[in-house]
Amino acid sequence: MYPFSYQRADTLSATVAALAADPDAKAIAGGMTLIPSMKHRLAAPGRLIDITRLAELQGIDAEDGWLRIGAATRHRDVASETVAAHIPALARLAHTIGDPQVRARGTLGGSVANADPAADYPAALLALAAIVVTDRREITADDFFVDMFTTALEPDELIRSIRFRIPRRAAYAKFHHPASGYAMTGVCVAELDGAVRVGVTGAAPVPFRWQAAEEALSPTPTSAGLEGLSYPPDGLNADMHAPAEYRAHLVAVMTRRALGAMENDQ
């Protein structure tokens, strides 16, 4: 790890200004990705600005059909009864992330900003028609994820909160890597205003919506709606853990499992 300076942020505006003025500075919250990257010398920021205590990044509240969660909210708090009271599927998803230590340190905003192709939250953002609220604008989930580890965020732009649509029903199912717990493929299905959205993570370099499944499952999602439907392997991830064809198979299997969980919650 290379030398760096550390400071705790006082205000969001001051943090954004500091990041804009210093290209070598990085904001840090849980540090679940940034710190290991620094240890392996894959990243070498000259300054870390700790944003975990900023009041602008805190809070969980529901209003007018939306659930707002502050960017600095830790995974264990997303998995809490507070979130479960409004979106049980999102709370259950958060409980599957990593291990207790990761859930105690990692944050919602940090995970979403990192855009790891095997992260769990992206599937929920897409399925729940989420809006990423930053220090300067609002970005829909459909426009937020651009490529592997790449989002629509500017270098000095910070996520303040994420607003999730509160669905009639939703569920998340993932085939997790046995060692890391990351999603080799994860699918979130949500029923919103008579339409169905299907968000997929882990299967491709960037999370995506399975639109053919959405059309087949709308307006009322049932497992029978997926009969004869499969996802093509073109463009999906292929590595030592699974070829693209297997991940394509998992997209359909995890979608069916999510639908089954939704039906059992009725």
Side-chain angles (χ1 to χ4, degrees):
M1 184 181 290
Y2 295 102
F4 62 92
S5 63
Y6 169 89
Q7 72 179 80
R8 188 177 294 281
D10 295 322
T11 65
L12 181 62
S13 58
T15 302
V16 172
L19 292 172
D22 184 358
D24 287 333
K26 292 287 186 183
I28 185 169
M32 294 295 95
T33 298
L34 181 56
I35 295 300
S37 297
M38 292 171 63
K39 287 182 176 180
H40 290 290
R41 298 194 171 188
L42 299 174
R47 177 164 53 139
L48 295 183
I49 305 175
D50 190 336
I51 61 174
T52 53
R53 296 186 184 179
L54 290 179
E56 298 97 326
L57 309 184
Q58 307 296 328
I60 301 173
D61 52 77
E63 185 177 6
D64 296 330
W66 293 86
L67 180 68
R68 185 198 69 85
I69 305 178
T73 303
R74 302 194 188 282
H75 305 320
R76 68 179 180 189
D77 296 317
V78 180
S80 68
E81 293 181 2
T82 303
V83 172
H86 301 283
I87 311 179
L90 182 58
R92 292 170 188 155
L93 178 153
H95 188 68
T96 71
I97 294 174
D99 52 35
Q101 290 81 6
V102 169
R103 292 193 292 273
R105 288 294 306 166
T107 63
L108 169 64
S111 176
V112 170
N114 188 48
D116 190 309
D120 296 287
Y121 286 129
L125 264 70
L126 291 171
L128 295 170
I131 296 176
V132 180
V133 181
T134 77
D135 62 279
R136 65 198 69 173
R137 57 178 171 154
E138 296 184 352
I139 311 170
T140 64
D142 289 335
D143 295 328
F144 184 79
F145 300 103
V146 176
D147 205 340
M148 181 182 293
F149 294 108
T150 306
T151 71
L153 292 172
E154 297 295 333
D156 59 340
E157 190 172 9
L158 289 178
I159 299 176
R160 293 186 58 158
S161 64
I162 298 175
R163 297 170 59 217
F164 297 90
R165 287 278 303 279
I166 298 177
R168 178 177 177 271
R169 295 183 298 169
Y172 178 66
K174 76 170 175 177
F175 189 89
H176 66 273
H177 187 280
S180 68
Y182 277 106
M184 290 178 61
T185 296
V187 177
C188 186
V189 180
E191 185 179 354
L192 299 168
D193 297 332
V196 176
R197 292 171 65 100
V198 180
V200 182
T201 192
V206 64
F208 61 90
R209 288 171 56 194
W210 187 9
Q211 295 181 337
E214 293 177 347
E215 294 172 3
L217 295 171
S218 296
T220 305
T222 64
S223 299
L226 285 181
E227 285 188 21
L229 198 63
S230 61
Y231 195 85
D234 300 340
L236 297 188
N237 294 332
D239 52 33
M240 63 181 291
H241 304 297
E245 291 76 11
Y246 187 64
R247 283 190 165 88
H249 174 69
L250 286 177
V251 170
V253 171
M254 293 302 109
T255 303
R256 290 188 176 90
R257 289 187 182 180
L259 287 167
M262 286 174 61
E263 292 167 355
N264 290 335
D265 281 346
Q266 283 185 319

